[in-house]
Amino acid sequence: MAKLFRAFFFKSLFFFWYHFLFRQLRNLILFQRTISNSFSSKTQFRYQKFSSLLHRSDLNDHTLIFDVENALLKSSSLFPYFMLVAFEAGGLLRAIVLVLLYPFVCVAGDEMGLKMMVMTCFFGIKAKSFRVGRSVLPKFFLEDVGSEMFEVLNKGGKKVGVSNLPHVMVDSFLREYLEIDFVVGRELKMFCGYYIGLMDEDKTMHALEQVKEGKGCSDMIGITRFHKIRHHQVFSLCKEVYVVSEGDKRSWQKLGREKYPKALIFHDGRLALRPTPMESIAMLMWLPWGLILAIIRISLALSLPFNISTPLLVLSGIRLTTSIPVPACTLTRNDKTGHLYVCNHRTLLDPLYLSFTLQKNLTAVTYSLSRMSEILAPIKTVRLTRNREEDAAMMKQLLSEGDLVVCPEGTTCREPYLLRFSPLFSEMCDEISPVAVNSHVSMFHGTTAGGLKCLDPVFFLMNPSPVYTVHLLHHVSRDHHNIENSRFQMANSVQTQIGNALGFECTKLTRKDKYLILAGNEGIVSNRIRSAKCS
C-alpha cells in the first residue's frame, strides 16, 4: 500500500510540474508572437542596443518614452517598493503578510505576482491620506536610478515614463525629482475613498491614449527591454526602440546626489534600509529583540548616573564620538548665568547626547515634544510657545538657573542639510557654543513627520548599533555695535560654522517647508530647493 501511494504521489508531482512548465513555455511563445505581430502590423522599426543611444546628439528633437522598472532603475525587483508601502502605510502586520506571500508571488508570474502585491499593500488604505508615494518612495527610487540612463533622458526633448507600478507610487518621484513631462502608471480602483487593491485597466488605457494623441509618433524613441514589453501599445508607436539588457544595468553607476534635478532634503518613513526580501526578513526577526534592547537602553539612561550609564550604553552597541576643543572650556561669561549651547537637530536625543558628552545635566528647550518623551527624558525639558516675547523671557529665566541647550532649526532633517536657524537664541547672551551633531542608523529612523513622535526615541534605540557624533566648536561672540543686525549675523554665522564642521549645506528652509512637503497639510511647496541654498 505504501509503495502504491509513493508511486501515485511522485506521478502526480511529475505531471503537475510538467503541465506547469509546459503552460509557462506556451504562454511565453504566444506572448512573443503577439508582441511581434502587434509591432509588425503597426509600425516598422528596428531594435538597437542601448549603448548606441549614448552617443546620439539629436535626442533633443525627439520624445523619449522609457520603461521605468526595466530601463531607468538598476534593480529588477519591485518587492522593496511594495514592502515600503506595506510597512509605512499599512503597518507591521501587513508587512509580515507581504513577506509570507512573496514565495507565491515569485511562482505566480510577473503580472499575477504584481496583482498579489498590489492587493496586499493597498487593500483598505485611505486614498486621501496615502503619502508614501511622495514622502517615502522618492528617496529609494532615486538611489536606484542608473546614471547612464539619466544622462540619456537629460538629452531628450519631452520625456514620458511608462510604469507597470501603480501611478500613486511613481508619479511624485518622476515628476518632482526627475522632471518627467508625462507619467503613465496603473490606476487603482477605489470605493468610498479607499483603495480596494485592484487596478483599473480602463483608466490606464485612457492614459495611454492621451500619450498617443498628445505626442507625434514620428519623433518618438522607445527605451525598454525586449522580454519585458508590457506597454506595447505605446512602444508600437515609436520609430526606434532601444533595448536595455541586464548586462547594461549591471554596468551602470548609481545616480549621484549632486546630479539630482531637485535636491532630496526631506523624506519620511521609519525604514532606513532598502527592504529587499532578505533584509525584510532580517528586520522582522530583529524587531522583538530590538524592542527589548531599546527598553534596556532607556532603563540604563534613566536609572544610572552619567559616569556609569555611559560605558554600559556603549557595551549595548551605542557608539558615541565626541570632540571638545580646549578653548571651549575657558569661556568668559557672567557667573550669574548659565552657558548656552546651540546645536543642529538630528533626533530628539540631541540634548541628551550633549549631556552625556559634557557629563552634566542640561536643560533643553524644544518647540514640540510628546508627553511620553518628556516623561522618559533624563534631563529637564521645557516647551517653547512659539510666542517670541514669552519664549525669550523663558529662556533668559532658564539661563539664570543653569546651562541651556537649544536646537534653532525647530525640526529634524535627515539629509546633509541645515535648515534656517531662528535668531532668537542670539539675544539670550553674548557668547554661545555651537555644537555640530550627526547621527547614523542602519535599520530604523528615529524621526517622523507623519507618524507617532512619541516612538521616535524607541525606534532610534532599536537599531543594532546607532552612531552619534557630538563636536563642540569654538564659541561665537555677538557684535555689540549693531545689535539689530548682530542677531541675524550670529544665527547665520553659527549655521555656517556647524555646516562646515559637518560638511552639510546651509539652506533657508524652515519647519513649515518640511511639513508642507511631507505632510501636505498646507499645500505643496514649489520647487525652490536650489534657489534657497545659502551662498
Side-chain angles (χ1 to χ4, degrees), residues 292-395:
I292 295 173
L293 182 60
I295 295 174
I296 293 174
R297 288 168 171 172
I298 292 174
S299 301
L300 291 175
L302 291 177
S303 59
L304 298 175
F306 291 121
N307 58 347
I308 299 177
S309 61
T310 300
L312 292 178
L313 290 172
V314 171
L315 289 176
S316 72
I318 295 179
R319 298 291 178 263
L320 174 61
T321 303
T322 62
S323 175
I324 305 177
V326 175
C329 302
T330 58
L331 293 174
T332 59
R333 60 180 177 87
N334 192 337
D335 294 335
K336 296 182 179 180
T337 63
H339 189 65
L340 179 63
Y341 297 94
V342 177
C343 65
N344 60 304
H345 204 4
R346 304 302 283 179
T347 74
L348 290 176
L349 301 179
D350 295 335
L352 180 59
Y353 272 94
L354 181 58
S355 294
F356 277 97
T357 299
L358 299 174
Q359 294 288 296
K360 63 180 180 180
N361 288 315
L362 302 174
T363 300
V365 291
T366 62
Y367 283 101
S368 60
L369 193 66
S370 67
R371 184 59 180 168
M372 179 178 293
S373 298
E374 288 181 329
I375 295 174
L376 294 178
I379 61 176
K380 182 180 179 181
T381 60
V382 178
R383 291 191 186 187
L384 296 177
T385 63
R386 298 191 184 276
N387 181 289
R388 186 175 184 82
E389 289 73 20
E390 293 182 11
D391 292 340
M394 181 188 302
M395 291 176 65

Side-chain angles (χ1 to χ4, degrees), residues 68-264:
V68 176
E69 301 91 77
N70 300 304
L72 178 67
L73 304 179
K74 285 175 57 65
S75 174
S76 300
S77 175
L78 301 180
F79 176 85
Y81 308 113
F82 282 102
M83 183 63 183
L84 288 166
V85 174
F87 188 87
E88 305 293 356
L92 178 61
L93 181 59
R94 197 182 294 258
I96 294 174
V97 172
L98 180 62
V99 171
L100 295 176
L101 284 178
Y102 184 65
F104 300 97
V105 171
C106 294
V107 301
D110 291 342
E111 184 64 20
M112 182 55 65
L114 177 67
K115 292 180 179 178
M116 292 172 62
M117 289 193 290
V118 170
M119 173 62 72
T120 304
C121 297
F122 283 93
F123 178 77
I125 298 295
K126 191 174 182 180
K128 188 176 180 180
S129 60
F130 182 80
R131 305 193 183 279
V132 174
R134 183 175 65 189
S135 61
V136 178
L137 291 177
K139 172 184 181 294
F140 293 90
F141 277 128
L142 285 169
E143 291 175 350
D144 198 28
V145 171
S147 179
E148 288 78 359
M149 180 62 186
F150 180 74
E151 291 177 4
V152 169
L153 293 179
N154 269 346
K155 297 177 182 178
K158 293 184 178 180
K159 298 175 280 289
V160 179
V162 182
S163 175
N164 211 34
L165 293 171
H167 188 267
V168 293
M169 291 178 63
V170 297
D171 183 68
S172 179
F173 153 64
L174 293 174
R175 286 182 181 274
E176 296 181 18
Y177 289 94
L178 293 189
E179 299 178 348
I180 303 302
D181 300 296
F182 198 87
V183 179
V184 179
R186 308 284 286 272
E187 299 294 339
L188 297 176
K189 293 184 178 180
M190 291 187 294
F191 179 75
C192 295
Y194 290 85
Y195 294 123
I196 61 176
L198 298 176
M199 290 182 283
D200 193 335
E201 301 298 340
D202 293 336
K203 290 185 178 180
T204 304
M205 292 302 299
H206 177 67
L208 294 174
E209 292 297 330
Q210 286 183 321
V211 175
K212 296 178 183 179
E213 295 173 1
K215 314 291 181 183
C217 61
S218 60
D219 61 347
M220 294 171 67
I221 295 178
I223 310 173
T224 183
R225 288 183 61 193
F226 180 77
H227 297 293
K228 296 288 185 179
I229 301 176
R230 298 187 180 97
H231 304 280
H232 53 84
Q233 298 94 336
V234 175
F235 289 107
S236 63
L237 301 174
C238 299
K239 187 176 181 180
E240 300 173 89
V241 171
Y242 287 81
V243 178
V244 177
S245 66
E246 280 295 333
D248 292 330
K249 298 176 73 171
R250 285 194 297 268
S251 65
W252 287 352
Q253 300 295 321
K254 290 186 177 180
L255 184 65
R257 181 190 299 272
E258 67 281 358
K259 295 182 179 179
Y260 292 173
K262 174 183 176 180
L264 178 72

